[in-house]
Amino acid sequence: MARSPVPNQTGKETGAARVYTTLRNEILTMRLAPGTPLDEVGLAERFDMSRSPVREALVRLSGDGLVTILANRSTVVTPMDFARVPEFLDALDLLQRVTTRLAALHRTAADLAKIQEKQKAYEKAIAASIKLRDSLPMIEANYDFHMTIARAGRNLYFADLYRRLLDEGRRMLHLHFQFKALDPDISVEEMARDHTDIVDAIERGDADKAEECAHRHAEQFKGRFMQFMDRNLTAGVPLTYNRRVSREKSTTTAE
């Protein structure tokens, strides 16, 4: 969903915008973990304002898919269903291929200029994210880049479906960046290479190559994210069992 412009005409609207921006950033960077309860009273105290602008901010976040308003009117940070991550990644791959292919076929000169502008902005955002170890600049610039391509494809249905996937995947992209940031050789060039190849194919109007680059980009994200998942799922597994077995074998041999 396209982000609404931040209103600033009244104190109430400014307060709601501040709550929205702060909570949104904390959710995207996982400082507010999936499933965390969001209490209106507690948030009103935290931001030193009434519950009305807090409620307005939560409604906007719900529209972004970042919070879920439950039947009992309580609100939580939208959970992440890691069991369905493979399904999400397959869908992302398909929609990314379709929207990128259509952009190569239907983009105008004005569309291409916007795509190139968003690619340059993405490279600057990557540099900022690497320097600050903050995923937010990269998350926002990545969204803008891919949605600019989707709109250039001239199919509103595909673009809307793709937008929903990109919105849902923002927190996954944060985790992906956190994993990549562990690499001491991380660089802007390496992180932006797939985007550069996509732009080049769209510029040349090569639909097959554009789709191929989009697929490779999705596959690399899938591979890195699954590596992150494997790293974190196994990180807490105790390794004392093997040492105990080794001692038992040594005792048996001595006897």
Side-chain angles (χ1 to χ4, degrees), residues 133 177-187 190:
R133 286 297 191 263
F177 176 78
Q178 293 297 98
F179 178 70
K180 280 293 297 177
L182 298 174
D183 182 355
D185 298 322
I186 186 174
S187 67
E190 191 267 336

Side-chain angles (χ1 to χ4, degrees), residues 84-98:
R84 301 191 66 177
V85 164
E87 295 178 27
F88 169 85
L89 294 172
D90 285 344
L92 181 69
D93 180 19
L94 178 61
L95 266 298
Q96 193 155 278
R97 286 161 50 200
V98 169

